Every structure is written in structure tokens, then in C-alpha cells.
Amino acid sequence: MNYNINVTKTDASRLSSVDFDNIPFGRVFSDHMFIADYKDGEWQDFRIVPFGKFEMHPAAMVLHYGQAIFEGMKASKTVDGKAMLFRPEMHAKRINNSAERMCMPAVPEDLFMQALHSLIDLDSDWIPPQAGSALYIRPYMFSMDEFIGVKPSQTYRFCIFTGPVGPYYPKPVSLIAEQKYVRAVKGGTGEAKAAGNYAGSLLPAKIAQEKGYDQVMWMDGKEFKYIQEVGTMNIFFVLDGKVVTPSTDGAILKGITRDSIIKLLTAKGIQVEERPVAIDEIVEAHQAGKLEEVFGSGTAAVVAHVEKIAYKDTEMMLPPMEERKIGAMIKEEIDGLRAGTIEDKNGWVVPVKSTIMENA
Ligand SMILES: Cc1ncc(COP(=O)(O)O)c(C=O)c1O
């Protein structure tokens, strides 16, 4: 289906005020945004408008009951300057999985795609051409009913805005295995990218930082025995030459980078074991000198190497960076796919193509 997206262009582009060599993360927003409203049981009023503020009713349900979900993805430029998206249909599917769990309406996948492509095409000059830089894309949905009382809203807004981000080269991170708070439990909302999951993670993250660790390693909520994720990333271990990652069990976010890493490694003949990973196994592997690598995976960093892990009163130091093969190789491969310097055999890298141009 072809959706009619009404476009109002800004007459005051802010692009020339942005220094692409020095972009503060998360604070610079591109010229336009896409908005659709859900009322009377359907999505309507598709529009791209100049980036700007919303007016909120004080009783807007999202402000009270937190029906809000989001995605995080990136557009980048290949070395020959073409705008590309990475596995965008996976994000369309995931936002709808999140919507289902939070009792919100699905966004038709073709509407998501047309809105995304048209918006990115219009603001494609905002994609930094510098290697490793990208245009961060934030699709999200929230409830709009002006009503006090716990029930699903009847009205929603779906938006996409974007902002340029510089290269993300995190220094190796230190983790602390959480022993009190949980991010998610089976049957909860951990598999959804629901705003409330992130609110609940702030206090344990703050406490971890006060203790001197960069991020929380989330454990299962029943026994605090099995590892789930780290911060806002999935986690991989290399144990005695084998790559292992926790199996998604209903409490772990199904990361698109995680899925890409598993598929790329498998294609190279490196088997990835998806299974429950107990912290005791990691401690034993470390004691035996077999904990070779630990890295987080996510859209922002692609791969973030782990320097050390604290668990109860022990601290496990990981081997030096020069000895780590798998994490570095896979980051290089995903960066190369995005830059168009490595052949994309999976059809993951999708050229940006507006549907609005065709209508005009
Ligand atoms: C809790 C959580 N886990 C994992 C990830 C990594 O997911 P992806 O690789 O799709 O960015 C994210 C980021 O979206 C996240 O918020």
C-alpha cells in the first residue's frame, strides 16, 4: 500500500550550524520528523513536519501509565556516499512486538518503512559522511488519551525523529553482576522496548557507577544465577574458543545486533551456543584461564569489549585487547557492511528510497 505522506519542509534548516566532527551524542536533532496519529481505530494524518515540540494534555495517559515504546536504529553513508539503513524491517517487526505486549496498536510495516525512507531521504544531508558516524533514528509510540484510569488508550502517536551521531568508540567497560535489582523477568516486559524498562534500570545503574563500574550485568530475577544482558546491550562470551550468548527467554531484549552477530559468525563456521549462561560457569572459566572474551552488542556501539566483571566479592579481569579476536572481527565486519566495503550477502543493507518523490 502507498500511504499519502504530507510534507511541510522547514524554511530554516539548522544543518549549517552542526559540526559533524564534533557532535554531542543525543543532543542534535535533524530538521524534520514524521508523525502519524491513531484514532477511531486507525492510523491517520501521515505527515513530515519541521522538528518541533508537542503540546501535551496534563492527563495524557502516557504521562501516568507509561504506555510508551521505542526503537533505536541508524542510517549511514557508504564510502561512495549512498544513504543506507541496516535491517530496517527487523526494527519494524520489533516495534510491533513491543506494541503487542504493551497493548498498543501495530504500525503497518509498510507505513513504518515508507515513513522511515521518506524522512531519511529528506534529511539525508544530516547523515554524517565521516567513517563510523551515522544518523541515529528514533521511532517511538505513546498513548494520548486524556483520561485518568488504568486501561488501554484509544489514541496514540507514532513518531520518527533523527539526529547525527559521531563515531562511538567506547573504552572497554567494567561490569557488576546485579544482586538486588532485576531488569526483567519472564512474563514481564523485558522483551519489549518499553520506556518503563529503562526507567527501572536507572537506580541500579547509578549505584553501579557509584561503586566504580560502568554498567550493570543483569541477572535472572529468580535466582540471580543466569546472566541476561549488560546495560542496554546483549552479551557474548568466548569460553575456551566457543562463542556463547544467553538464549532469549522472554526476559531478554532480542537485539538486532545480537542476531546479526550470530548469523555472521555461523556463516564463517563459528558456531554460537544460545543457552542459559550461569555466572558460576563464567567464574569457573575465568579461574581456569578460559574466559577469553566478553563483549556487549547493540546498535550504538556494535561491539563493546568488557574489561572486567565484578561478582559478589571477586573481580574477574579479562585478557588484554590484543588477544581478543572474535569481538574485534565482528565489529569490523558489521562496520564494513554498513560502509559498503564488505559484500552484503544477506540483503541487510537497504538503500534509502523515498516514496514521496514518486508521488510528486
Ligand atoms: C535492553 C537492551 N538490550 C539490548 C539492546 C541491543 O539491541 P540492538 O542490537 O537491536 O540495538 C538494546 C538496544 O536496543 C537494549 O535496549
Side-chain angles (χ1 to χ4, degrees):
M1 180 165 166
N2 204 4
Y3 295 90
N4 186 13
I5 301 175
N6 194 7
V7 180
T8 309
K9 289 189 189 169
T10 181
D11 51 15
S13 172
R14 290 171 282 105
L15 184 57
S16 61
S17 67
V18 180
D19 174 6
F20 275 169
D21 290 317
N22 191 9
I23 315 169
F25 187 90
R27 295 195 187 281
V28 181
F29 304 103
S30 317
D31 280 334
H32 298 93
M33 60 187 191
F34 172 84
I35 304 179
D37 286 318
Y38 184 88
K39 20 184 188 215
D40 306 324
E42 60 180 6
W43 288 105
Q44 45 192 280
D45 200 5
F46 312 125
R47 57 212 190 266
I48 290 175
V49 293
F51 183 85
K53 293 184 179 173
F54 300 137
E55 198 169 86
M56 297 292 285
H57 191 280
M61 286 182 79
V62 65
L63 300 178
H64 304 266
Y65 312 116
Q67 253 186 318
I69 54 175
F70 66 99
E71 273 303 313
M73 54 196 296
K74 281 176 174 173
S76 44
K77 277 193 177 148
T78 58
V79 280
D80 51 1
K82 294 197 187 84
M84 297 286 179
L85 295 159
F86 189 73
R87 308 190 76 185
E89 75 296 338
M90 294 287 282
H91 292 274
K93 288 189 170 61
R94 190 167 65 182
I95 202 168
N96 284 332
N97 290 339
S98 300
E100 189 182 350
R101 177 63 185 87
M102 303 309 287
C103 208
M104 301 167 88
V107 180
E109 235 176 84
D110 52 356
L111 171 61
F112 183 100
M113 287 300 172
Q114 284 177 36
L116 183 66
H117 278 267
S118 303
L119 179 70
I120 308 304
D121 185 66
L122 180 62
D123 279 342
S124 61
D125 288 345
W126 283 84
I127 307 174
Q130 284 85 344
S133 298
L135 189 70
Y136 186 80
I137 306 168
R138 171 50 57 86
Y140 62 116
M141 193 204 299
F142 56 92
S143 55
M144 294 274 282
D145 273 12
E146 297 158 6
F147 176 73
I148 291 300
V150 179
K151 68 178 183 78
S153 179
Q154 301 296 301
T155 56
Y156 296 88
R157 179 161 286 179
F158 170 65
C159 287
I160 310 176
F161 66 72
T162 70
V165 290
Y168 191 75
Y169 299 122
K171 62 169 187 52
V173 291
S174 57
L175 308 178
I176 181 164
E178 182 57 57
Q179 292 297 294
K180 179 177 178 188
Y181 298 102
V182 292
R183 190 192 88 89
V185 292
K186 285 182 198 178
T189 58
E191 222 173 58
K193 265 184 89 71
N197 292 343
Y198 298 82
S201 74
L202 298 176
L203 177 64
K206 179 169 167 263
I207 295 170
Q209 278 158 18
E210 283 164 2
K211 289 181 183 163
Y213 296 94
D214 298 314
Q215 294 194 17
V216 173
M217 186 158 88
W218 302 108
M219 309 296 289
D220 78 276
K222 210 168 155 196
E223 300 172 87
F224 288 89
K225 185 173 166 193
Y226 294 100
I227 298 163
Q228 294 181 327
E229 324 190 27
V230 292
T232 58
M233 292 185 289
N234 296 111
I235 188 163
F236 287 81
F237 300 90
V238 183
L239 303 172
D240 201 13
K242 276 189 295 188
V243 185
V244 179
T245 191
S247 37
T248 54
D249 60 353
I252 293 175
L253 190 84
K254 291 180 174 168
I256 292 161
T257 317
R258 174 186 181 279
D259 183 77
S260 307
I261 291 174
I262 293 171
K263 292 201 164 88
L264 290 171
L265 288 177
T266 306
K268 287 180 191 301
I270 303 171
Q271 226 46 51
V272 179
E273 290 177 17
E274 291 182 75
R275 58 169 172 82
V277 182
I279 184 78
D280 290 345
E281 180 185 353
I282 301 305
V283 173
E284 276 164 32
H286 180 255
Q287 281 166 354
K290 292 178 175 169
L291 182 59
E292 290 157 11
E293 290 185 44
V294 182
F295 58 88
S297 73
T299 295
V302 183
V303 162
H305 296 283
V306 173
E307 176 196 26
K308 62 179 176 185
I309 304 172
Y311 171 58
K312 296 193 173 155
D313 43 18
T314 58
E315 214 173 54
M316 296 176 266
M317 287 302 295
L318 274 289
M321 232 18 80
E322 314 79 73
E323 293 175 22
R324 313 224 193 157
K325 302 275 166 348
I326 307 260
M329 171 188 72
I330 211 70
K331 176 166 168 52
E332 217 175 280
E333 174 132 5
I334 294 179
D335 285 348
L337 286 171
R338 288 176 161 279
T341 54
I342 291 179
E343 191 197 347
D344 171 26
K345 293 184 186 138
N346 297 295
W348 288 349
V349 180
V350 178
V352 172
K353 188 168 180 292
S354 172
T355 49
I356 291 171
M357 310 282 260
E358 290 165 11
N359 293 341

